[in-house]
Amino acid sequence: MSLAIATPATLHPSRFGAEHHMPDFVSRRMDEHYVTRIEKLLGGEHLHAWSPLPAGAVFLAGNDYLNIAAEPVLLAAQVAALQGARGGLLMSSVFLQEGSAQHQLEHKLAEFLGAQDCVLAQSGWAANVGLLQSLSEPGIPVYLDMQAHASLWEGVLSAQAQPVSFLHNDSAHLRRQVEKFGRGVIVVDALYSTNGSVAPLREVVEIAERSGSILIVDESHSLGTHGPQGAGLVAELGLCERVHFRTASLAKAFAGRAGLITCSSKFKGYFLSASRPAIFSSCLLAHELAWFDAALDFIRAADGRRAALRGHAQRVREGLRGLGYNVNDGSEQIIALEAGPEPKTLVLRKALERHGVVGAVFCAPATPKNRSLLRLTLNAGLDAAQVAQVLAACAAIREEVDLDGWSSTRRLRRLALV
């Protein structure tokens, strides 16, 4: 009888490049990704694998809308906080005492947003999941716009509530769904992350009020870029008192990594004891708080950058329409070039990269199957030459990417015939 000797490779094969044996339910899903999707559908290339950026490339795959990530005054605030930190607090924010630096920033953000109070979370994802987990429960209908962010859907699943979708930005369909299933929680994005469309917030507020439903508005892509001093679309429309909760990722215009929720002070106390992401995540660190504190002051005074961003969005959208691209689903700084099936989007991505324009690919599960797209995210730091470069690239590739054959182009032609 011989004994097998356990070596490091047999104990931990993944460390040496060997794959652990996976059960069939995992292997099947991995094969679907690598074999069916990557090898067969996309010819061995990955949709998200960028080529090295050429000199002079226009990078439109980020979310730093106001172009503040490298601002010296903000970096200096962060460095000063790091130098002054003496170990810092590393614990759940549930245990923070009133008067802490995080609580002070939360009060400052609440004042900025016209809210009674505010909660900072580790991310926009944690904010949305934790909020819906704290509000809903099994059997409660949660009405979600079909394009609502995945974190909002995840929150509904976490609460084991009843998800009820409604057609994108279709208030009439939302009204019918609420009449059918009853009062609950209504969830929309103020500005949608895939195509730059804006929610009909006034109509949604009225539906929530008439039905006795709670309303959540995710302002991730409108906070900092829209509204008075960048306070968002809810504030711009004068709806702060009528929207129960606003959430946002601070990884967009605020160029950091955190999330927030506006709420009442009473709800905040409950949330910190009920939300699993809040309970089981660490509080923000001193240098992160210093960044957001300085960024808030900077953003409030950035009307010029907001105006520049609006101007870029208008010029690029008008130029793309003139070239035959269907960008009519949105109106703001997020622009979707919807090629449709993933192979077409891969061709589009590579063609634009060869012309020095880099965008972000969105595909299933971020979009419906066969409605993948390349997202161009504009920022205030673009200059006229870069805007011209983007439009020239889109003009040059129309035949190469088969623009006339895109499903979004066919939809545009059908609308023109109506």
Side-chain angles (χ1 to χ4, degrees), residues 42-78:
L42 298 172
E45 297 188 76
H46 199 290
L47 276 169
H48 299 119
W50 293 332
S51 301
L53 299 184
V58 182
F59 186 78
L60 300 179
N63 294 315
D64 183 11
Y65 298 130
L66 298 180
N67 197 35
I68 71 170
E71 279 299 321
V73 66
L74 305 187
L75 295 171
Q78 195 168 44

PDB file of all heavy atoms in Angstrom, residues 42-78:
ATOM      1  N   LEU A  42     -17.491  35.802 -29.622  1.00  0.00           N
ATOM      2  CA  LEU A  42     -16.612  36.956 -29.801  1.00  0.00           C
ATOM      3  C   LEU A  42     -15.242  36.588 -30.354  1.00  0.00           C
ATOM      4  O   LEU A  42     -14.340  37.437 -30.390  1.00  0.00           O
ATOM      5  CB  LEU A  42     -16.443  37.690 -28.459  1.00  0.00           C
ATOM      6  CG  LEU A  42     -17.741  38.267 -27.875  1.00  0.00           C
ATOM      7  CD1 LEU A  42     -17.496  38.791 -26.475  1.00  0.00           C
ATOM      8  CD2 LEU A  42     -18.280  39.372 -28.773  1.00  0.00           C
ATOM      9  N   GLY A  43     -15.070  35.355 -30.799  1.00  0.00           N
ATOM     10  CA  GLY A  43     -13.823  34.963 -31.445  1.00  0.00           C
ATOM     11  C   GLY A  43     -12.611  35.007 -30.548  1.00  0.00           C
ATOM     12  O   GLY A  43     -11.486  35.232 -31.023  1.00  0.00           O
ATOM     13  N   GLY A  44     -12.815  34.798 -29.258  1.00  0.00           N
ATOM     14  CA  GLY A  44     -11.694  34.762 -28.325  1.00  0.00           C
ATOM     15  C   GLY A  44     -11.315  36.104 -27.743  1.00  0.00           C
ATOM     16  O   GLY A  44     -10.395  36.183 -26.921  1.00  0.00           O
ATOM     17  N   GLU A  45     -11.989  37.176 -28.124  1.00  0.00           N
ATOM     18  CA  GLU A  45     -11.696  38.508 -27.585  1.00  0.00           C
ATOM     19  C   GLU A  45     -12.711  38.855 -26.507  1.00  0.00           C
ATOM     20  O   GLU A  45     -13.850  38.383 -26.515  1.00  0.00           O
ATOM     21  CB  GLU A  45     -11.717  39.545 -28.694  1.00  0.00           C
ATOM     22  CG  GLU A  45     -10.667  39.321 -29.759  1.00  0.00           C
ATOM     23  CD  GLU A  45     -10.593  40.473 -30.735  1.00  0.00           C
ATOM     24  OE1 GLU A  45     -10.037  41.525 -30.371  1.00  0.00           O
ATOM     25  OE2 GLU A  45     -11.099  40.323 -31.861  1.00  0.00           O
ATOM     26  N   HIS A  46     -12.292  39.736 -25.607  1.00  0.00           N
ATOM     27  CA  HIS A  46     -13.172  40.135 -24.513  1.00  0.00           C
ATOM     28  C   HIS A  46     -13.681  41.547 -24.763  1.00  0.00           C
ATOM     29  O   HIS A  46     -12.931  42.430 -25.172  1.00  0.00           O
ATOM     30  CB  HIS A  46     -12.432  40.072 -23.169  1.00  0.00           C
ATOM     31  CG  HIS A  46     -13.343  40.015 -21.984  1.00  0.00           C
ATOM     32  ND1 HIS A  46     -14.104  41.078 -21.581  1.00  0.00           N
ATOM     33  CD2 HIS A  46     -13.629  39.002 -21.134  1.00  0.00           C
ATOM     34  CE1 HIS A  46     -14.814  40.744 -20.519  1.00  0.00           C
ATOM     35  NE2 HIS A  46     -14.551  39.475 -20.233  1.00  0.00           N
ATOM     36  N   LEU A  47     -14.958  41.760 -24.483  1.00  0.00           N
ATOM     37  CA  LEU A  47     -15.557  43.069 -24.742  1.00  0.00           C
ATOM     38  C   LEU A  47     -14.901  44.194 -23.953  1.00  0.00           C
ATOM     39  O   LEU A  47     -14.888  45.337 -24.386  1.00  0.00           O
ATOM     40  CB  LEU A  47     -17.051  43.024 -24.407  1.00  0.00           C
ATOM     41  CG  LEU A  47     -17.986  42.485 -25.490  1.00  0.00           C
ATOM     42  CD1 LEU A  47     -19.378  42.259 -24.912  1.00  0.00           C
ATOM     43  CD2 LEU A  47     -18.062  43.443 -26.658  1.00  0.00           C
ATOM     44  N   HIS A  48     -14.375  43.864 -22.765  1.00  0.00           N
ATOM     45  CA  HIS A  48     -13.859  44.918 -21.897  1.00  0.00           C
ATOM     46  C   HIS A  48     -12.336  45.031 -21.907  1.00  0.00           C
ATOM     47  O   HIS A  48     -11.774  45.760 -21.093  1.00  0.00           O
ATOM     48  CB  HIS A  48     -14.333  44.683 -20.459  1.00  0.00           C
ATOM     49  CG  HIS A  48     -15.823  44.707 -20.315  1.00  0.00           C
ATOM     50  ND1 HIS A  48     -16.546  43.625 -19.857  1.00  0.00           N
ATOM     51  CD2 HIS A  48     -16.734  45.670 -20.597  1.00  0.00           C
ATOM     52  CE1 HIS A  48     -17.827  43.932 -19.846  1.00  0.00           C
ATOM     53  NE2 HIS A  48     -17.968  45.162 -20.292  1.00  0.00           N
ATOM     54  N   ALA A  49     -11.676  44.346 -22.821  1.00  0.00           N
ATOM     55  CA  ALA A  49     -10.209  44.366 -22.860  1.00  0.00           C
ATOM     56  C   ALA A  49      -9.734  45.486 -23.775  1.00  0.00           C
ATOM     57  O   ALA A  49      -9.732  45.355 -24.991  1.00  0.00           O
ATOM     58  CB  ALA A  49      -9.675  43.023 -23.342  1.00  0.00           C
ATOM     59  N   TRP A  50      -9.348  46.616 -23.172  1.00  0.00           N
ATOM     60  CA  TRP A  50      -8.866  47.741 -23.962  1.00  0.00           C
ATOM     61  C   TRP A  50      -7.491  47.455 -24.545  1.00  0.00           C
ATOM     62  O   TRP A  50      -6.689  46.732 -23.976  1.00  0.00           O
ATOM     63  CB  TRP A  50      -8.740  48.995 -23.097  1.00  0.00           C
ATOM     64  CG  TRP A  50     -10.035  49.544 -22.609  1.00  0.00           C
ATOM     65  CD1 TRP A  50     -11.269  49.439 -23.205  1.00  0.00           C
ATOM     66  CD2 TRP A  50     -10.246  50.280 -21.402  1.00  0.00           C
ATOM     67  NE1 TRP A  50     -12.220  50.062 -22.451  1.00  0.00           N
ATOM     68  CE2 TRP A  50     -11.621  50.602 -21.335  1.00  0.00           C
ATOM     69  CE3 TRP A  50      -9.416  50.717 -20.385  1.00  0.00           C
ATOM     70  CZ2 TRP A  50     -12.173  51.326 -20.287  1.00  0.00           C
ATOM     71  CZ3 TRP A  50      -9.959  51.436 -19.341  1.00  0.00           C
ATOM     72  CH2 TRP A  50     -11.319  51.732 -19.302  1.00  0.00           C
ATOM     73  N   SER A  51      -7.230  48.108 -25.661  1.00  0.00           N
ATOM     74  CA  SER A  51      -5.871  48.132 -26.195  1.00  0.00           C
ATOM     75  C   SER A  51      -5.112  49.252 -25.482  1.00  0.00           C
ATOM     76  O   SER A  51      -5.720  50.145 -24.896  1.00  0.00           O
ATOM     77  CB  SER A  51      -5.907  48.410 -27.706  1.00  0.00           C
ATOM     78  OG  SER A  51      -6.658  47.428 -28.382  1.00  0.00           O
ATOM     79  N   PRO A  52      -3.772  49.217 -25.525  1.00  0.00           N
ATOM     80  CA  PRO A  52      -3.012  50.339 -24.941  1.00  0.00           C
ATOM     81  C   PRO A  52      -3.450  51.664 -25.570  1.00  0.00           C
ATOM     82  O   PRO A  52      -3.643  51.753 -26.782  1.00  0.00           O
ATOM     83  CB  PRO A  52      -1.559  49.992 -25.293  1.00  0.00           C
ATOM     84  CG  PRO A  52      -1.564  48.507 -25.464  1.00  0.00           C
ATOM     85  CD  PRO A  52      -2.903  48.163 -26.049  1.00  0.00           C
ATOM     86  N   LEU A  53      -3.633  52.672 -24.738  1.00  0.00           N
ATOM     87  CA  LEU A  53      -4.141  53.952 -25.238  1.00  0.00           C
ATOM     88  C   LEU A  53      -3.069  54.671 -26.043  1.00  0.00           C
ATOM     89  O   LEU A  53      -1.953  54.880 -25.555  1.00  0.00           O
ATOM     90  CB  LEU A  53      -4.579  54.838 -24.073  1.00  0.00           C
ATOM     91  CG  LEU A  53      -5.704  54.307 -23.185  1.00  0.00           C
ATOM     92  CD1 LEU A  53      -6.084  55.354 -22.151  1.00  0.00           C
ATOM     93  CD2 LEU A  53      -6.913  53.938 -24.017  1.00  0.00           C
ATOM     94  N   PRO A  54      -3.379  55.063 -27.266  1.00  0.00           N
ATOM     95  CA  PRO A  54      -2.411  55.849 -28.031  1.00  0.00           C
ATOM     96  C   PRO A  54      -2.309  57.266 -27.488  1.00  0.00           C
ATOM     97  O   PRO A  54      -3.216  57.746 -26.801  1.00  0.00           O
ATOM     98  CB  PRO A  54      -3.022  55.850 -29.448  1.00  0.00           C
ATOM     99  CG  PRO A  54      -4.493  55.679 -29.225  1.00  0.00           C
ATOM    100  CD  PRO A  54      -4.628  54.811 -28.009  1.00  0.00           C
ATOM    101  N   ALA A  55      -1.208  57.924 -27.791  1.00  0.00           N
ATOM    102  CA  ALA A  55      -1.055  59.319 -27.369  1.00  0.00           C
ATOM    103  C   ALA A  55      -2.170  60.155 -27.992  1.00  0.00           C
ATOM    104  O   ALA A  55      -2.504  59.991 -29.157  1.00  0.00           O
ATOM    105  CB  ALA A  55       0.312  59.847 -27.806  1.00  0.00           C
ATOM    106  N   GLY A  56      -2.739  61.015 -27.193  1.00  0.00           N
ATOM    107  CA  GLY A  56      -3.792  61.884 -27.699  1.00  0.00           C
ATOM    108  C   GLY A  56      -5.169  61.256 -27.708  1.00  0.00           C
ATOM    109  O   GLY A  56      -6.123  61.850 -28.235  1.00  0.00           O
ATOM    110  N   ALA A  57      -5.314  60.054 -27.131  1.00  0.00           N
ATOM    111  CA  ALA A  57      -6.629  59.411 -27.097  1.00  0.00           C
ATOM    112  C   ALA A  57      -7.564  60.182 -26.178  1.00  0.00           C
ATOM    113  O   ALA A  57      -7.144  60.756 -25.165  1.00  0.00           O
ATOM    114  CB  ALA A  57      -6.501  57.973 -26.620  1.00  0.00           C
ATOM    115  N   VAL A  58      -8.839  60.189 -26.527  1.00  0.00           N
ATOM    116  CA  VAL A  58      -9.865  60.825 -25.701  1.00  0.00           C
ATOM    117  C   VAL A  58     -10.519  59.714 -24.875  1.00  0.00           C
ATOM    118  O   VAL A  58     -11.158  58.818 -25.418  1.00  0.00           O
ATOM    119  CB  VAL A  58     -10.917  61.547 -26.566  1.00  0.00           C
ATOM    120  CG1 VAL A  58     -11.938  62.252 -25.673  1.00  0.00           C
ATOM    121  CG2 VAL A  58     -10.244  62.542 -27.499  1.00  0.00           C
ATOM    122  N   PHE A  59     -10.349  59.793 -23.570  1.00  0.00           N
ATOM    123  CA  PHE A  59     -10.839  58.744 -22.673  1.00  0.00           C
ATOM    124  C   PHE A  59     -12.225  59.127 -22.159  1.00  0.00           C
ATOM    125  O   PHE A  59     -12.372  60.086 -21.397  1.00  0.00           O
ATOM    126  CB  PHE A  59      -9.872  58.548 -21.517  1.00  0.00           C
ATOM    127  CG  PHE A  59     -10.218  57.391 -20.613  1.00  0.00           C
ATOM    128  CD1 PHE A  59      -9.930  56.092 -20.995  1.00  0.00           C
ATOM    129  CD2 PHE A  59     -10.829  57.610 -19.388  1.00  0.00           C
ATOM    130  CE1 PHE A  59     -10.251  55.017 -20.169  1.00  0.00           C
ATOM    131  CE2 PHE A  59     -11.153  56.554 -18.560  1.00  0.00           C
ATOM    132  CZ  PHE A  59     -10.865  55.249 -18.952  1.00  0.00           C
ATOM    133  N   LEU A  60     -13.242  58.363 -22.565  1.00  0.00           N
ATOM    134  CA  LEU A  60     -14.627  58.663 -22.193  1.00  0.00           C
ATOM    135  C   LEU A  60     -15.267  57.449 -21.510  1.00  0.00           C
ATOM    136  O   LEU A  60     -16.441  57.160 -21.717  1.00  0.00           O
ATOM    137  CB  LEU A  60     -15.435  59.063 -23.433  1.00  0.00           C
ATOM    138  CG  LEU A  60     -14.942  60.287 -24.193  1.00  0.00           C
ATOM    139  CD1 LEU A  60     -15.821  60.556 -25.409  1.00  0.00           C
ATOM    140  CD2 LEU A  60     -14.890  61.508 -23.290  1.00  0.00           C
ATOM    141  N   ALA A  61     -14.472  56.759 -20.699  1.00  0.00           N
ATOM    142  CA  ALA A  61     -14.977  55.577 -20.006  1.00  0.00           C
ATOM    143  C   ALA A  61     -15.079  55.779 -18.502  1.00  0.00           C
ATOM    144  O   ALA A  61     -15.444  54.858 -17.783  1.00  0.00           O
ATOM    145  CB  ALA A  61     -14.080  54.376 -20.300  1.00  0.00           C
ATOM    146  N   GLY A  62     -14.752  56.962 -18.010  1.00  0.00           N
ATOM    147  CA  GLY A  62     -14.791  57.222 -16.573  1.00  0.00           C
ATOM    148  C   GLY A  62     -16.038  57.986 -16.170  1.00  0.00           C
ATOM    149  O   GLY A  62     -16.885  58.327 -16.996  1.00  0.00           O
ATOM    150  N   ASN A  63     -16.154  58.271 -14.871  1.00  0.00           N
ATOM    151  CA  ASN A  63     -17.326  58.977 -14.349  1.00  0.00           C
ATOM    152  C   ASN A  63     -16.974  60.290 -13.649  1.00  0.00           C
ATOM    153  O   ASN A  63     -17.809  60.840 -12.926  1.00  0.00           O
ATOM    154  CB  ASN A  63     -18.071  58.081 -13.359  1.00  0.00           C
ATOM    155  CG  ASN A  63     -18.682  56.863 -14.024  1.00  0.00           C
ATOM    156  OD1 ASN A  63     -19.294  56.971 -15.074  1.00  0.00           O
ATOM    157  ND2 ASN A  63     -18.496  55.704 -13.413  1.00  0.00           N
ATOM    158  N   ASP A  64     -15.775  60.773 -13.854  1.00  0.00           N
ATOM    159  CA  ASP A  64     -15.348  62.032 -13.223  1.00  0.00           C
ATOM    160  C   ASP A  64     -15.916  63.204 -14.031  1.00  0.00           C
ATOM    161  O   ASP A  64     -15.210  63.919 -14.727  1.00  0.00           O
ATOM    162  CB  ASP A  64     -13.819  62.073 -13.164  1.00  0.00           C
ATOM    163  CG  ASP A  64     -13.275  63.307 -12.464  1.00  0.00           C
ATOM    164  OD1 ASP A  64     -14.072  64.033 -11.834  1.00  0.00           O
ATOM    165  OD2 ASP A  64     -12.055  63.557 -12.561  1.00  0.00           O
ATOM    166  N   TYR A  65     -17.227  63.400 -13.912  1.00  0.00           N
ATOM    167  CA  TYR A  65     -17.945  64.329 -14.793  1.00  0.00           C
ATOM    168  C   TYR A  65     -17.414  65.756 -14.735  1.00  0.00           C
ATOM    169  O   TYR A  65     -17.392  66.462 -15.746  1.00  0.00           O
ATOM    170  CB  TYR A  65     -19.431  64.332 -14.438  1.00  0.00           C
ATOM    171  CG  TYR A  65     -20.118  63.010 -14.623  1.00  0.00           C
ATOM    172  CD1 TYR A  65     -20.895  62.464 -13.604  1.00  0.00           C
ATOM    173  CD2 TYR A  65     -19.996  62.277 -15.799  1.00  0.00           C
ATOM    174  CE1 TYR A  65     -21.531  61.243 -13.755  1.00  0.00           C
ATOM    175  CE2 TYR A  65     -20.620  61.057 -15.963  1.00  0.00           C
ATOM    176  CZ  TYR A  65     -21.393  60.545 -14.939  1.00  0.00           C
ATOM    177  OH  TYR A  65     -22.018  59.335 -15.092  1.00  0.00           O
ATOM    178  N   LEU A  66     -17.006  66.201 -13.558  1.00  0.00           N
ATOM    179  CA  LEU A  66     -16.552  67.591 -13.410  1.00  0.00           C
ATOM    180  C   LEU A  66     -15.035  67.710 -13.464  1.00  0.00           C
ATOM    181  O   LEU A  66     -14.480  68.794 -13.240  1.00  0.00           O
ATOM    182  CB  LEU A  66     -17.083  68.179 -12.102  1.00  0.00           C
ATOM    183  CG  LEU A  66     -18.609  68.262 -12.003  1.00  0.00           C
ATOM    184  CD1 LEU A  66     -19.030  68.859 -10.662  1.00  0.00           C
ATOM    185  CD2 LEU A  66     -19.196  69.081 -13.150  1.00  0.00           C
ATOM    186  N   ASN A  67     -14.364  66.589 -13.727  1.00  0.00           N
ATOM    187  CA  ASN A  67     -12.915  66.586 -13.919  1.00  0.00           C
ATOM    188  C   ASN A  67     -12.186  67.131 -12.686  1.00  0.00           C
ATOM    189  O   ASN A  67     -11.344  68.012 -12.771  1.00  0.00           O
ATOM    190  CB  ASN A  67     -12.552  67.423 -15.158  1.00  0.00           C
ATOM    191  CG  ASN A  67     -11.159  67.141 -15.669  1.00  0.00           C
ATOM    192  OD1 ASN A  67     -10.686  66.016 -15.611  1.00  0.00           O
ATOM    193  ND2 ASN A  67     -10.482  68.166 -16.166  1.00  0.00           N
ATOM    194  N   ILE A  68     -12.484  66.540 -11.527  1.00  0.00           N
ATOM    195  CA  ILE A  68     -11.899  67.038 -10.283  1.00  0.00           C
ATOM    196  C   ILE A  68     -10.898  66.072  -9.657  1.00  0.00           C
ATOM    197  O   ILE A  68     -10.272  66.404  -8.640  1.00  0.00           O
ATOM    198  CB  ILE A  68     -12.987  67.373  -9.242  1.00  0.00           C
ATOM    199  CG1 ILE A  68     -13.641  66.099  -8.707  1.00  0.00           C
ATOM    200  CG2 ILE A  68     -14.020  68.330  -9.814  1.00  0.00           C
ATOM    201  CD1 ILE A  68     -14.540  66.335  -7.507  1.00  0.00           C
ATOM    202  N   ALA A  69     -10.722  64.876 -10.225  1.00  0.00           N
ATOM    203  CA  ALA A  69      -9.936  63.838  -9.555  1.00  0.00           C
ATOM    204  C   ALA A  69      -8.488  64.240  -9.304  1.00  0.00           C
ATOM    205  O   ALA A  69      -7.860  63.726  -8.375  1.00  0.00           O
ATOM    206  CB  ALA A  69      -9.975  62.547 -10.371  1.00  0.00           C
ATOM    207  N   ALA A  70      -7.953  65.167 -10.101  1.00  0.00           N
ATOM    208  CA  ALA A  70      -6.554  65.573  -9.926  1.00  0.00           C
ATOM    209  C   ALA A  70      -6.438  67.016  -9.446  1.00  0.00           C
ATOM    210  O   ALA A  70      -5.360  67.608  -9.537  1.00  0.00           O
ATOM    211  CB  ALA A  70      -5.793  65.397 -11.240  1.00  0.00           C
ATOM    212  N   GLU A  71      -7.505  67.574  -8.895  1.00  0.00           N
ATOM    213  CA  GLU A  71      -7.454  68.964  -8.424  1.00  0.00           C
ATOM    214  C   GLU A  71      -6.476  69.096  -7.242  1.00  0.00           C
ATOM    215  O   GLU A  71      -6.631  68.410  -6.227  1.00  0.00           O
ATOM    216  CB  GLU A  71      -8.840  69.432  -7.997  1.00  0.00           C
ATOM    217  CG  GLU A  71      -9.733  69.871  -9.119  1.00  0.00           C
ATOM    218  CD  GLU A  71      -9.160  71.063  -9.892  1.00  0.00           C
ATOM    219  OE1 GLU A  71      -8.575  71.975  -9.239  1.00  0.00           O
ATOM    220  OE2 GLU A  71      -9.286  71.078 -11.114  1.00  0.00           O
ATOM    221  N   PRO A  72      -5.484  69.978  -7.342  1.00  0.00           N
ATOM    222  CA  PRO A  72      -4.480  70.105  -6.273  1.00  0.00           C
ATOM    223  C   PRO A  72      -5.071  70.412  -4.904  1.00  0.00           C
ATOM    224  O   PRO A  72      -4.615  69.868  -3.890  1.00  0.00           O
ATOM    225  CB  PRO A  72      -3.592  71.258  -6.773  1.00  0.00           C
ATOM    226  CG  PRO A  72      -3.740  71.231  -8.259  1.00  0.00           C
ATOM    227  CD  PRO A  72      -5.157  70.815  -8.512  1.00  0.00           C
ATOM    228  N   VAL A  73      -6.094  71.259  -4.841  1.00  0.00           N
ATOM    229  CA  VAL A  73      -6.649  71.620  -3.531  1.00  0.00           C
ATOM    230  C   VAL A  73      -7.306  70.420  -2.856  1.00  0.00           C
ATOM    231  O   VAL A  73      -7.247  70.279  -1.624  1.00  0.00           O
ATOM    232  CB  VAL A  73      -7.648  72.790  -3.680  1.00  0.00           C
ATOM    233  CG1 VAL A  73      -8.883  72.376  -4.483  1.00  0.00           C
ATOM    234  CG2 VAL A  73      -8.073  73.318  -2.310  1.00  0.00           C
ATOM    235  N   LEU A  74      -7.898  69.528  -3.652  1.00  0.00           N
ATOM    236  CA  LEU A  74      -8.526  68.344  -3.087  1.00  0.00           C
ATOM    237  C   LEU A  74      -7.472  67.323  -2.657  1.00  0.00           C
ATOM    238  O   LEU A  74      -7.593  66.694  -1.601  1.00  0.00           O
ATOM    239  CB  LEU A  74      -9.486  67.720  -4.093  1.00  0.00           C
ATOM    240  CG  LEU A  74     -10.568  68.650  -4.663  1.00  0.00           C
ATOM    241  CD1 LEU A  74     -11.548  67.859  -5.525  1.00  0.00           C
ATOM    242  CD2 LEU A  74     -11.308  69.367  -3.550  1.00  0.00           C
ATOM    243  N   LEU A  75      -6.453  67.156  -3.477  1.00  0.00           N
ATOM    244  CA  LEU A  75      -5.363  66.246  -3.117  1.00  0.00           C
ATOM    245  C   LEU A  75      -4.644  66.731  -1.864  1.00  0.00           C
ATOM    246  O   LEU A  75      -4.281  65.926  -0.993  1.00  0.00           O
ATOM    247  CB  LEU A  75      -4.380  66.122  -4.279  1.00  0.00           C
ATOM    248  CG  LEU A  75      -4.935  65.465  -5.551  1.00  0.00           C
ATOM    249  CD1 LEU A  75      -3.934  65.595  -6.689  1.00  0.00           C
ATOM    250  CD2 LEU A  75      -5.261  63.998  -5.305  1.00  0.00           C
ATOM    251  N   ALA A  76      -4.478  68.057  -1.741  1.00  0.00           N
ATOM    252  CA  ALA A  76      -3.810  68.613  -0.561  1.00  0.00           C
ATOM    253  C   ALA A  76      -4.617  68.348   0.704  1.00  0.00           C
ATOM    254  O   ALA A  76      -4.053  68.043   1.765  1.00  0.00           O
ATOM    255  CB  ALA A  76      -3.594  70.114  -0.751  1.00  0.00           C
ATOM    256  N   ALA A  77      -5.951  68.439   0.599  1.00  0.00           N
ATOM    257  CA  ALA A  77      -6.795  68.165   1.761  1.00  0.00           C
ATOM    258  C   ALA A  77      -6.657  66.715   2.196  1.00  0.00           C
ATOM    259  O   ALA A  77      -6.605  66.402   3.392  1.00  0.00           O
ATOM    260  CB  ALA A  77      -8.252  68.492   1.430  1.00  0.00           C
ATOM    261  N   GLN A  78      -6.553  65.835   1.235  1.00  0.00           N
ATOM    262  CA  GLN A  78      -6.426  64.420   1.551  1.00  0.00           C
ATOM    263  C   GLN A  78      -5.063  64.119   2.171  1.00  0.00           C
ATOM    264  O   GLN A  78      -4.959  63.361   3.151  1.00  0.00           O
ATOM    265  CB  GLN A  78      -6.629  63.603   0.279  1.00  0.00           C
ATOM    266  CG  GLN A  78      -6.888  62.130   0.515  1.00  0.00           C
ATOM    267  CD  GLN A  78      -7.354  61.434  -0.738  1.00  0.00           C
ATOM    268  OE1 GLN A  78      -6.806  61.643  -1.817  1.00  0.00           O
ATOM    269  NE2 GLN A  78      -8.356  60.589  -0.620  1.00  0.00           N
TER     270      GLN A  78
END
